[in-house]
Amino acid sequence: MTSSVPRLVIAAPSSGSGKTTVATGLMAALAARGLAVSPHKVGPDYIDPGYHALASGRVGRNLDAYLCGPELVAPLFLHGARGCDIAVVEGVMGMFDGAAGEGELASTAHVAKLLRAPVVLVVDASSQSRSVAALVHGFASWDPEVRVGGVILNKVASDRHEALLREALEAAGVPVFGVLRRVSQVDTPSRHLGLVPVAERRGAAVDAVAAMAAQVERGCDLEGLMGLARGAGALACAAWDAAEVLRSSPPPPLPVPSPGAAAPSTPSGGSAPRPPSALRGPRPQTPPEGAPPDRLVVAVAGGPAFTFSYAEHSELLAAAGAEVVPFDPLRDEQLPDGTAGLVIGGGFPEVYAAELSANEPLRKAVSALAETGAPVAAECAGLLYLCRELDGQPMCGVLDASARMEERLTLGYRDAVAVSDSSLAVAGTRMRGHEFHRTVVEPEAGDAAAWGVRVPRRRLEGFVQRGVHASYLHTHWASVPGVARRFVERCRTS
């Protein structure tokens, strides 16, 4: 099967060049023209896809060749781009920067090659003129398999500055698809983990996206960019499908642990309008046709405190027979009716610690659910929420651990192996994950740890007790879809 969706990859020589402004503004400008735009982000980042969703009116999706493997990049792209007129893929860091020590793996250039997509290079031209041609020439010629189709010049100071830049690039034979002047209103606020998520800014985020769209509309050749996108090569693969991958993946290899006991530990082996619902985090998902008739609710935390979630997780849970129901731990005092399992992803509970703590009825409900042995999957922010306390504020108390903010940033990809049987995986299951936080949990691992990690140091990490699996690692379940099926099966039997 071959598929061809017009598409562009927006890359840059380095972080801070303006990729997010250009990519988000382009998505919004194209959507304002009535096009169905599919938004994508290279790498594990959760925050940029929120702005992409706001710009396009569709779920922002990640393309991560490290977390999911290179073989899944094109199928996941086609899954997200179903029915769309064009796709815009925002890169990560500098174009050739990928997983540390892994060559091109998971870089923007790598993903562009996997997608057979032309690249538009966004260049911060604020401190250069003729030298821009040498810079662009280097990026365009470094890897002949990467097709740099042109550039967009960002932070251009004046008409004279623009003329010098265009003259240099014309001599180099590189098309200029846009020139963006310095405009402060397109800036978006940042804090300790990057941009402030859309769900926390709401009206201000809408205004920022509208400003990005206006700047791109004003400064870029949209017809030229669409023509470049139509030149993308055909992809010889089928679109990823949650139900299909669950049918073809092996069933959980061991019996589901009894709900009353802690899992055993084993040694480590080393400006377009968009639906208001898009601001609320995970979307409701219903089981597919043919799923068991009983209502099996998996509650998924959302709202401003828990904004980090990959859309494919909810889609896999639904394909496995669950009814996925979002809830907001800042506002909802009870879990959704009939909750049989709970997923708490990443986010910023440290920013909302007081408010989360003040919602005592929900904290007690979460603790009571965990006490029954029901499956609870918690990643990063979810781990903090399950602790006894966070920065001195009482949390759910499911785990006998304390969490606090710290200055040091923990960031990077991780190879992990499950060291305890849990509601997500059996011991020995290998997965790849990503850490991104400025907090510390003490102790680092429970009596039954979740993962064994070797890099950047060999350690046990996370907690497994009863049905709870809590860890700092963000994982992408599309890489091991049996995780979702095992979780739902545990929901049925706990």
PDB file of all heavy atoms in Angstrom, residues 370-402:
ATOM      1  N   ALA A 370      -6.901   2.632  44.634  1.00  0.00           N
ATOM      2  CA  ALA A 370      -5.636   1.910  44.630  1.00  0.00           C
ATOM      3  C   ALA A 370      -5.633   0.801  45.676  1.00  0.00           C
ATOM      4  O   ALA A 370      -5.067  -0.274  45.450  1.00  0.00           O
ATOM      5  CB  ALA A 370      -4.482   2.877  44.873  1.00  0.00           C
ATOM      6  N   GLU A 371      -6.270   1.053  46.806  1.00  0.00           N
ATOM      7  CA  GLU A 371      -6.302   0.077  47.897  1.00  0.00           C
ATOM      8  C   GLU A 371      -7.044  -1.191  47.483  1.00  0.00           C
ATOM      9  O   GLU A 371      -6.749  -2.284  47.986  1.00  0.00           O
ATOM     10  CB  GLU A 371      -6.972   0.700  49.126  1.00  0.00           C
ATOM     11  CG  GLU A 371      -6.813  -0.099  50.408  1.00  0.00           C
ATOM     12  CD  GLU A 371      -5.364  -0.161  50.894  1.00  0.00           C
ATOM     13  OE1 GLU A 371      -4.585   0.762  50.592  1.00  0.00           O
ATOM     14  OE2 GLU A 371      -5.018  -1.150  51.576  1.00  0.00           O
ATOM     15  N   THR A 372      -7.988  -1.072  46.551  1.00  0.00           N
ATOM     16  CA  THR A 372      -8.730  -2.257  46.099  1.00  0.00           C
ATOM     17  C   THR A 372      -7.916  -3.142  45.179  1.00  0.00           C
ATOM     18  O   THR A 372      -8.330  -4.262  44.864  1.00  0.00           O
ATOM     19  CB  THR A 372     -10.003  -1.839  45.341  1.00  0.00           C
ATOM     20  OG1 THR A 372      -9.644  -1.234  44.086  1.00  0.00           O
ATOM     21  CG2 THR A 372     -10.854  -0.876  46.154  1.00  0.00           C
ATOM     22  N   GLY A 373      -6.768  -2.656  44.717  1.00  0.00           N
ATOM     23  CA  GLY A 373      -5.976  -3.410  43.764  1.00  0.00           C
ATOM     24  C   GLY A 373      -6.288  -3.083  42.320  1.00  0.00           C
ATOM     25  O   GLY A 373      -5.741  -3.716  41.399  1.00  0.00           O
ATOM     26  N   ALA A 374      -7.158  -2.105  42.082  1.00  0.00           N
ATOM     27  CA  ALA A 374      -7.462  -1.692  40.719  1.00  0.00           C
ATOM     28  C   ALA A 374      -6.193  -1.165  40.045  1.00  0.00           C
ATOM     29  O   ALA A 374      -5.327  -0.588  40.702  1.00  0.00           O
ATOM     30  CB  ALA A 374      -8.537  -0.609  40.719  1.00  0.00           C
ATOM     31  N   PRO A 375      -6.052  -1.354  38.742  1.00  0.00           N
ATOM     32  CA  PRO A 375      -4.840  -0.885  38.064  1.00  0.00           C
ATOM     33  C   PRO A 375      -4.763   0.629  38.005  1.00  0.00           C
ATOM     34  O   PRO A 375      -5.739   1.305  37.670  1.00  0.00           O
ATOM     35  CB  PRO A 375      -4.952  -1.487  36.670  1.00  0.00           C
ATOM     36  CG  PRO A 375      -6.384  -1.790  36.480  1.00  0.00           C
ATOM     37  CD  PRO A 375      -6.948  -2.087  37.828  1.00  0.00           C
ATOM     38  N   VAL A 376      -3.597   1.148  38.343  1.00  0.00           N
ATOM     39  CA  VAL A 376      -3.322   2.580  38.285  1.00  0.00           C
ATOM     40  C   VAL A 376      -1.969   2.746  37.596  1.00  0.00           C
ATOM     41  O   VAL A 376      -0.959   2.228  38.079  1.00  0.00           O
ATOM     42  CB  VAL A 376      -3.273   3.213  39.694  1.00  0.00           C
ATOM     43  CG1 VAL A 376      -2.948   4.702  39.595  1.00  0.00           C
ATOM     44  CG2 VAL A 376      -4.586   2.996  40.434  1.00  0.00           C
ATOM     45  N   ALA A 377      -1.961   3.440  36.473  1.00  0.00           N
ATOM     46  CA  ALA A 377      -0.718   3.717  35.745  1.00  0.00           C
ATOM     47  C   ALA A 377      -0.402   5.196  35.903  1.00  0.00           C
ATOM     48  O   ALA A 377      -1.192   6.051  35.496  1.00  0.00           O
ATOM     49  CB  ALA A 377      -0.861   3.357  34.270  1.00  0.00           C
ATOM     50  N   ALA A 378       0.743   5.506  36.499  1.00  0.00           N
ATOM     51  CA  ALA A 378       1.109   6.897  36.787  1.00  0.00           C
ATOM     52  C   ALA A 378       2.501   7.173  36.247  1.00  0.00           C
ATOM     53  O   ALA A 378       3.442   6.416  36.512  1.00  0.00           O
ATOM     54  CB  ALA A 378       1.063   7.155  38.294  1.00  0.00           C
ATOM     55  N   GLU A 379       2.623   8.251  35.485  1.00  0.00           N
ATOM     56  CA  GLU A 379       3.905   8.658  34.919  1.00  0.00           C
ATOM     57  C   GLU A 379       4.265  10.068  35.363  1.00  0.00           C
ATOM     58  O   GLU A 379       3.470  10.995  35.189  1.00  0.00           O
ATOM     59  CB  GLU A 379       3.862   8.631  33.388  1.00  0.00           C
ATOM     60  CG  GLU A 379       3.804   7.249  32.789  1.00  0.00           C
ATOM     61  CD  GLU A 379       3.906   7.277  31.273  1.00  0.00           C
ATOM     62  OE1 GLU A 379       3.791   8.358  30.653  1.00  0.00           O
ATOM     63  OE2 GLU A 379       4.108   6.195  30.698  1.00  0.00           O
ATOM     64  N   CYS A 380       5.433  10.221  35.947  1.00  0.00           N
ATOM     65  CA  CYS A 380       6.016  11.517  36.289  1.00  0.00           C
ATOM     66  C   CYS A 380       5.074  12.330  37.185  1.00  0.00           C
ATOM     67  O   CYS A 380       5.053  12.140  38.392  1.00  0.00           O
ATOM     68  CB  CYS A 380       6.416  12.283  35.027  1.00  0.00           C
ATOM     69  SG  CYS A 380       7.606  13.611  35.316  1.00  0.00           S
ATOM     70  N   ALA A 381       4.280  13.228  36.616  1.00  0.00           N
ATOM     71  CA  ALA A 381       3.344  13.997  37.433  1.00  0.00           C
ATOM     72  C   ALA A 381       2.410  13.075  38.203  1.00  0.00           C
ATOM     73  O   ALA A 381       2.073  13.321  39.364  1.00  0.00           O
ATOM     74  CB  ALA A 381       2.540  14.951  36.555  1.00  0.00           C
ATOM     75  N   GLY A 382       1.989  11.993  37.556  1.00  0.00           N
ATOM     76  CA  GLY A 382       1.133  11.025  38.238  1.00  0.00           C
ATOM     77  C   GLY A 382       1.837  10.390  39.417  1.00  0.00           C
ATOM     78  O   GLY A 382       1.228  10.159  40.472  1.00  0.00           O
ATOM     79  N   LEU A 383       3.128  10.103  39.270  1.00  0.00           N
ATOM     80  CA  LEU A 383       3.927   9.583  40.383  1.00  0.00           C
ATOM     81  C   LEU A 383       3.914  10.557  41.552  1.00  0.00           C
ATOM     82  O   LEU A 383       3.710  10.158  42.710  1.00  0.00           O
ATOM     83  CB  LEU A 383       5.355   9.347  39.899  1.00  0.00           C
ATOM     84  CG  LEU A 383       6.443   9.149  40.960  1.00  0.00           C
ATOM     85  CD1 LEU A 383       6.207   7.870  41.744  1.00  0.00           C
ATOM     86  CD2 LEU A 383       7.833   9.123  40.306  1.00  0.00           C
ATOM     87  N   LEU A 384       4.133  11.836  41.278  1.00  0.00           N
ATOM     88  CA  LEU A 384       4.143  12.840  42.345  1.00  0.00           C
ATOM     89  C   LEU A 384       2.797  12.907  43.054  1.00  0.00           C
ATOM     90  O   LEU A 384       2.722  13.039  44.273  1.00  0.00           O
ATOM     91  CB  LEU A 384       4.494  14.222  41.768  1.00  0.00           C
ATOM     92  CG  LEU A 384       5.784  14.343  40.959  1.00  0.00           C
ATOM     93  CD1 LEU A 384       6.011  15.795  40.540  1.00  0.00           C
ATOM     94  CD2 LEU A 384       6.988  13.838  41.745  1.00  0.00           C
ATOM     95  N   TYR A 385       1.721  12.822  42.275  1.00  0.00           N
ATOM     96  CA  TYR A 385       0.367  12.924  42.843  1.00  0.00           C
ATOM     97  C   TYR A 385       0.065  11.745  43.762  1.00  0.00           C
ATOM     98  O   TYR A 385      -0.679  11.882  44.741  1.00  0.00           O
ATOM     99  CB  TYR A 385      -0.639  12.989  41.700  1.00  0.00           C
ATOM    100  CG  TYR A 385      -2.070  13.251  42.111  1.00  0.00           C
ATOM    101  CD1 TYR A 385      -2.412  14.347  42.905  1.00  0.00           C
ATOM    102  CD2 TYR A 385      -3.092  12.413  41.675  1.00  0.00           C
ATOM    103  CE1 TYR A 385      -3.734  14.585  43.261  1.00  0.00           C
ATOM    104  CE2 TYR A 385      -4.413  12.649  42.012  1.00  0.00           C
ATOM    105  CZ  TYR A 385      -4.733  13.729  42.812  1.00  0.00           C
ATOM    106  OH  TYR A 385      -6.044  13.974  43.157  1.00  0.00           O
ATOM    107  N   LEU A 386       0.645  10.595  43.473  1.00  0.00           N
ATOM    108  CA  LEU A 386       0.388   9.417  44.315  1.00  0.00           C
ATOM    109  C   LEU A 386       1.240   9.391  45.574  1.00  0.00           C
ATOM    110  O   LEU A 386       0.985   8.576  46.464  1.00  0.00           O
ATOM    111  CB  LEU A 386       0.643   8.142  43.516  1.00  0.00           C
ATOM    112  CG  LEU A 386      -0.272   7.861  42.327  1.00  0.00           C
ATOM    113  CD1 LEU A 386       0.064   6.504  41.721  1.00  0.00           C
ATOM    114  CD2 LEU A 386      -1.743   7.910  42.717  1.00  0.00           C
ATOM    115  N   CYS A 387       2.235  10.262  45.659  1.00  0.00           N
ATOM    116  CA  CYS A 387       3.111  10.280  46.835  1.00  0.00           C
ATOM    117  C   CYS A 387       2.365  10.739  48.089  1.00  0.00           C
ATOM    118  O   CYS A 387       1.245  11.245  48.032  1.00  0.00           O
ATOM    119  CB  CYS A 387       4.299  11.202  46.587  1.00  0.00           C
ATOM    120  SG  CYS A 387       5.554  10.511  45.479  1.00  0.00           S
ATOM    121  N   ARG A 388       3.034  10.589  49.199  1.00  0.00           N
ATOM    122  CA  ARG A 388       2.479  11.037  50.478  1.00  0.00           C
ATOM    123  C   ARG A 388       2.365  12.559  50.515  1.00  0.00           C
ATOM    124  O   ARG A 388       1.385  13.120  51.021  1.00  0.00           O
ATOM    125  CB  ARG A 388       3.386  10.540  51.606  1.00  0.00           C
ATOM    126  CG  ARG A 388       2.858  10.808  53.015  1.00  0.00           C
ATOM    127  CD  ARG A 388       3.801  10.203  54.048  1.00  0.00           C
ATOM    128  NE  ARG A 388       5.151  10.760  53.981  1.00  0.00           N
ATOM    129  CZ  ARG A 388       6.219  10.104  53.504  1.00  0.00           C
ATOM    130  NH1 ARG A 388       6.111   8.866  53.041  1.00  0.00           N
ATOM    131  NH2 ARG A 388       7.420  10.687  53.478  1.00  0.00           N
ATOM    132  N   GLU A 389       3.374  13.246  49.942  1.00  0.00           N
ATOM    133  CA  GLU A 389       3.363  14.705  49.929  1.00  0.00           C
ATOM    134  C   GLU A 389       4.209  15.217  48.773  1.00  0.00           C
ATOM    135  O   GLU A 389       5.088  14.523  48.268  1.00  0.00           O
ATOM    136  CB  GLU A 389       3.897  15.273  51.248  1.00  0.00           C
ATOM    137  CG  GLU A 389       5.348  14.920  51.521  1.00  0.00           C
ATOM    138  CD  GLU A 389       5.884  15.573  52.790  1.00  0.00           C
ATOM    139  OE1 GLU A 389       5.081  16.112  53.564  1.00  0.00           O
ATOM    140  OE2 GLU A 389       7.116  15.548  52.974  1.00  0.00           O
ATOM    141  N   LEU A 390       3.905  16.437  48.351  1.00  0.00           N
ATOM    142  CA  LEU A 390       4.652  17.129  47.312  1.00  0.00           C
ATOM    143  C   LEU A 390       4.934  18.545  47.807  1.00  0.00           C
ATOM    144  O   LEU A 390       4.011  19.319  48.040  1.00  0.00           O
ATOM    145  CB  LEU A 390       3.856  17.167  46.005  1.00  0.00           C
ATOM    146  CG  LEU A 390       4.378  18.062  44.881  1.00  0.00           C
ATOM    147  CD1 LEU A 390       5.810  17.685  44.497  1.00  0.00           C
ATOM    148  CD2 LEU A 390       3.458  17.983  43.667  1.00  0.00           C
ATOM    149  N   ASP A 391       6.205  18.858  48.002  1.00  0.00           N
ATOM    150  CA  ASP A 391       6.611  20.150  48.543  1.00  0.00           C
ATOM    151  C   ASP A 391       5.836  20.492  49.820  1.00  0.00           C
ATOM    152  O   ASP A 391       5.413  21.623  50.047  1.00  0.00           O
ATOM    153  CB  ASP A 391       6.406  21.264  47.506  1.00  0.00           C
ATOM    154  CG  ASP A 391       7.483  21.249  46.431  1.00  0.00           C
ATOM    155  OD1 ASP A 391       8.583  20.709  46.700  1.00  0.00           O
ATOM    156  OD2 ASP A 391       7.233  21.762  45.331  1.00  0.00           O
ATOM    157  N   GLY A 392       5.667  19.475  50.672  1.00  0.00           N
ATOM    158  CA  GLY A 392       5.008  19.665  51.956  1.00  0.00           C
ATOM    159  C   GLY A 392       3.493  19.636  51.907  1.00  0.00           C
ATOM    160  O   GLY A 392       2.844  19.655  52.960  1.00  0.00           O
ATOM    161  N   GLN A 393       2.913  19.578  50.725  1.00  0.00           N
ATOM    162  CA  GLN A 393       1.453  19.529  50.590  1.00  0.00           C
ATOM    163  C   GLN A 393       0.992  18.077  50.531  1.00  0.00           C
ATOM    164  O   GLN A 393       1.547  17.278  49.762  1.00  0.00           O
ATOM    165  CB  GLN A 393       1.016  20.241  49.301  1.00  0.00           C
ATOM    166  CG  GLN A 393       1.369  21.704  49.224  1.00  0.00           C
ATOM    167  CD  GLN A 393       0.401  22.565  50.032  1.00  0.00           C
ATOM    168  OE1 GLN A 393      -0.616  22.086  50.534  1.00  0.00           O
ATOM    169  NE2 GLN A 393       0.732  23.841  50.167  1.00  0.00           N
ATOM    170  N   PRO A 394      -0.006  17.693  51.322  1.00  0.00           N
ATOM    171  CA  PRO A 394      -0.497  16.311  51.277  1.00  0.00           C
ATOM    172  C   PRO A 394      -1.028  15.944  49.894  1.00  0.00           C
ATOM    173  O   PRO A 394      -1.760  16.715  49.276  1.00  0.00           O
ATOM    174  CB  PRO A 394      -1.629  16.302  52.313  1.00  0.00           C
ATOM    175  CG  PRO A 394      -1.341  17.460  53.212  1.00  0.00           C
ATOM    176  CD  PRO A 394      -0.705  18.504  52.347  1.00  0.00           C
ATOM    177  N   MET A 395      -0.625  14.765  49.406  1.00  0.00           N
ATOM    178  CA  MET A 395      -1.146  14.235  48.153  1.00  0.00           C
ATOM    179  C   MET A 395      -1.977  12.981  48.451  1.00  0.00           C
ATOM    180  O   MET A 395      -2.556  12.886  49.513  1.00  0.00           O
ATOM    181  CB  MET A 395       0.014  13.949  47.195  1.00  0.00           C
ATOM    182  CG  MET A 395       0.714  15.209  46.681  1.00  0.00           C
ATOM    183  SD  MET A 395      -0.320  16.193  45.542  1.00  0.00           S
ATOM    184  CE  MET A 395      -0.314  17.783  46.377  1.00  0.00           C
ATOM    185  N   CYS A 396      -2.021  12.036  47.550  1.00  0.00           N
ATOM    186  CA  CYS A 396      -2.944  10.908  47.705  1.00  0.00           C
ATOM    187  C   CYS A 396      -2.475   9.884  48.730  1.00  0.00           C
ATOM    188  O   CYS A 396      -3.293   9.122  49.257  1.00  0.00           O
ATOM    189  CB  CYS A 396      -3.160  10.222  46.357  1.00  0.00           C
ATOM    190  SG  CYS A 396      -3.989  11.269  45.141  1.00  0.00           S
ATOM    191  N   GLY A 397      -1.173   9.805  48.991  1.00  0.00           N
ATOM    192  CA  GLY A 397      -0.687   8.874  49.997  1.00  0.00           C
ATOM    193  C   GLY A 397      -0.751   7.424  49.562  1.00  0.00           C
ATOM    194  O   GLY A 397      -0.677   6.527  50.409  1.00  0.00           O
ATOM    195  N   VAL A 398      -0.870   7.169  48.272  1.00  0.00           N
ATOM    196  CA  VAL A 398      -0.855   5.794  47.792  1.00  0.00           C
ATOM    197  C   VAL A 398       0.533   5.189  47.959  1.00  0.00           C
ATOM    198  O   VAL A 398       0.680   4.020  48.293  1.00  0.00           O
ATOM    199  CB  VAL A 398      -1.295   5.753  46.307  1.00  0.00           C
ATOM    200  CG1 VAL A 398      -1.117   4.353  45.723  1.00  0.00           C
ATOM    201  CG2 VAL A 398      -2.740   6.220  46.168  1.00  0.00           C
ATOM    202  N   LEU A 399       1.562   5.997  47.745  1.00  0.00           N
ATOM    203  CA  LEU A 399       2.946   5.556  47.878  1.00  0.00           C
ATOM    204  C   LEU A 399       3.570   6.160  49.134  1.00  0.00           C
ATOM    205  O   LEU A 399       3.349   7.339  49.434  1.00  0.00           O
ATOM    206  CB  LEU A 399       3.763   6.004  46.660  1.00  0.00           C
ATOM    207  CG  LEU A 399       3.232   5.595  45.288  1.00  0.00           C
ATOM    208  CD1 LEU A 399       4.071   6.236  44.190  1.00  0.00           C
ATOM    209  CD2 LEU A 399       3.198   4.077  45.141  1.00  0.00           C
ATOM    210  N   ASP A 400       4.337   5.366  49.830  1.00  0.00           N
ATOM    211  CA  ASP A 400       5.039   5.867  51.013  1.00  0.00           C
ATOM    212  C   ASP A 400       6.327   6.555  50.547  1.00  0.00           C
ATOM    213  O   ASP A 400       7.431   6.050  50.712  1.00  0.00           O
ATOM    214  CB  ASP A 400       5.352   4.729  51.975  1.00  0.00           C
ATOM    215  CG  ASP A 400       5.922   5.245  53.294  1.00  0.00           C
ATOM    216  OD1 ASP A 400       5.780   6.454  53.575  1.00  0.00           O
ATOM    217  OD2 ASP A 400       6.514   4.428  54.034  1.00  0.00           O
ATOM    218  N   ALA A 401       6.144   7.714  49.932  1.00  0.00           N
ATOM    219  CA  ALA A 401       7.271   8.455  49.356  1.00  0.00           C
ATOM    220  C   ALA A 401       6.944   9.946  49.395  1.00  0.00           C
ATOM    221  O   ALA A 401       5.770  10.345  49.427  1.00  0.00           O
ATOM    222  CB  ALA A 401       7.527   8.016  47.916  1.00  0.00           C
ATOM    223  N   SER A 402       7.986  10.738  49.385  1.00  0.00           N
ATOM    224  CA  SER A 402       7.849  12.190  49.442  1.00  0.00           C
ATOM    225  C   SER A 402       8.491  12.798  48.205  1.00  0.00           C
ATOM    226  O   SER A 402       9.556  12.348  47.764  1.00  0.00           O
ATOM    227  CB  SER A 402       8.533  12.718  50.707  1.00  0.00           C
ATOM    228  OG  SER A 402       8.500  14.128  50.752  1.00  0.00           O
TER     229      SER A 402
END
